[in-house]
Amino acid sequence: MRGITFIGMAGAGKSAVGKVVAEMLNWKFVDLDKLIMKTTRMHHDDYMKQNGEDALTALEQKLTLELNFESLVFAPPGSMIYSPLAMDKIKQNSTVVYLKTVPETIEKRMGERLYKNGIVGLKEKGLKKLMEERAVLYEKFANYTFNSGDQSKEEMAKKVIDGLIYKGLDLKYAIS
């Protein structure tokens, strides 16, 4: 079974919703930021501060290319869309779901972590401009787009699974 990959900005709910979707489908779940922590023994933002944005994106790409997407829910960082090789693998092996949101929601969810969280391009462009730039790429790569707002992660996960089933994907809930 092809995997499901969530794309979108930090704070859109990729990891929180992805984990619930994986539990509901009884699939594996990989949060790339946690995989980076396990691999490097550093938080991704510390890795970026120490090695630079290019080194972080190269590591993200390498780890993504090594993944087996069979029955996998994958939550990469929002900057993954800047890696053509990784996005090609993701598109070939998973259904790509864009969790679309607005800057106010990101700011509310992330709080002071927003500018401390190692978001590629944020310091140079600011949140609104970065989101506008990335939205074009998220929409390009997404098979499906769901608006992420004030709903709980469980409500959003159910919305995504029900929407994917409605679109014809053969997904079965493991739990109700």
Side-chain angles (χ1 to χ4, degrees):
M1 172 76 56
R2 286 170 52 91
I4 297 172
T5 297
F6 286 95
I7 61 173
M9 285 298 297
K14 299 180 305 285
S15 295
V17 173
K19 187 172 184 180
V20 174
V21 167
E23 290 169 2
M24 293 173 80
L25 297 175
N26 198 25
W27 286 11
K28 297 172 286 189
F29 174 71
V30 172
D31 176 328
L32 191 57
D33 289 339
K34 288 190 170 129
L35 183 58
I36 288 170
M37 175 91 82
K38 183 179 175 185
T39 304
T40 66
R41 298 181 188 192
M42 300 175 85
H43 195 271
H44 72 276
D45 62 322
D46 292 329
Y47 186 88
M48 184 174 84
K49 286 174 191 165
Q50 186 173 347
N51 300 289
E53 286 185 359
D54 290 343
L56 176 62
T57 55
L59 177 61
E60 291 169 347
Q61 176 177 283
K62 175 187 178 297
L63 294 173
T64 299
L65 294 174
E66 293 172 355
L67 287 175
N68 175 356
F69 281 82
E70 183 75 20
S71 299
L72 173 72
V73 177
F74 181 45
S79 59
M80 182 60 66
I81 53 160
Y82 296 130
S83 172
L85 279 175
M87 288 308 300
D88 186 48
K89 172 151 184 173
I90 288 168
K91 284 288 285 181
Q92 286 181 23
N93 294 283
S94 68
T95 299
V96 181
V97 174
Y98 170 29
L99 293 182
K100 184 176 184 176
T101 192
V102 295
E104 296 77 23
T105 299
I106 300 296
E107 289 168 339
K108 179 179 167 186
R109 289 181 183 169
M110 301 282 299
E112 63 183 43
R113 294 179 302 133
L114 180 61
Y115 288 92
K116 296 178 182 178
N117 211 31
I119 299 172
V120 173
L122 182 62
K123 288 181 182 172
E124 299 79 16
K125 298 174 183 166
L127 182 60
K128 189 172 183 176
K129 185 169 182 181
L130 183 62
M131 287 181 73
E132 289 170 359
E133 173 186 290
R134 288 186 180 184
V136 175
L137 295 170
Y138 292 142
E139 290 169 7
K140 172 186 171 188
F141 289 114
N143 297 106
Y144 304 102
T145 299
F146 293 88
N147 290 317
S148 174
D150 290 332
Q151 66 281 346
S152 71
K153 60 188 176 186
E154 293 81 10
E155 291 168 331
M156 190 69 210
K158 185 168 179 1
K159 178 180 174 181
V160 168
I161 290 173
D162 288 345
L164 294 176
I165 290 170
Y166 178 78
K167 296 287 186 181
L169 267 71
D170 185 24
L171 301 173
K172 306 275 189 285
Y173 285 97
I175 55 177
S176 317

